[in-house]
């Protein structure tokens, strides 16, 4: 199944967090962040590229790769 959603820039981070949570709970299999490179600046392209690696990074962390750090995020 393919679903395409255009999300407001301010809400995109929250939506990606929700997708990651659904993936972790195995409610969805996978997701991809696609971009239209002709409309994005170089910085925006870099951010999108970083976001596209989140799922792989979470999988690596679950498998014990990397270092554990105390991180507190306040919204």
């Amino acid at each position: 199944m393919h679903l395409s959603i255009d999300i407001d820039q301010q809400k995109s981070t929250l939506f990606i967090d929700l997708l990651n949570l659904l993936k972790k709970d195995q409610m969805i299999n996978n997701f991809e962040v696609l971009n239209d490179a002709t409309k994005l600046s170089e910085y925006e392209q870099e951010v999108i590229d970083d976001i596209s690696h989140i799922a792989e990074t979470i999988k690596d962390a679950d498998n014990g790769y990397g270092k554990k750090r105390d991180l507190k995020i306040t919204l």
Side-chain angles (χ1 to χ4, degrees):
M1 178 182 194
H2 178 83
L3 176 64
S4 179
I5 302 173
D6 185 14
I7 300 170
D8 186 75
Q9 188 174 3
Q10 286 93 9
K11 298 175 186 170
S12 62
T13 303
L14 292 173
F15 189 73
I16 289 175
D17 289 343
L18 173 63
L19 289 174
N20 281 318
L21 178 64
L22 294 175
K23 184 176 179 182
K24 186 175 181 180
D25 289 342
Q26 298 178 348
M27 295 177 76
I28 61 173
N29 292 327
N30 201 359
F31 67 91
E32 261 183 87
V33 176
L34 303 177
N35 65 331
D36 183 358
T38 60
K39 294 182 181 178
L40 300 176
S41 70
E42 186 176 323
Y43 174 74
E44 290 169 330
Q45 290 174 7
E46 185 178 327
V47 170
I48 294 293
D49 184 53
D50 290 344
I51 290 171
S52 69
H53 292 91
I54 290 174
E56 183 180 327
T57 303
I58 290 172
K59 186 184 282 185
D60 286 346
D62 288 344
N63 291 328
Y65 298 112
K67 296 180 181 178
K68 242 185 181 175
R69 297 182 183 178
D70 291 330
L71 177 64
K72 187 182 266 187
I73 299 174
T74 305
L75 297 175

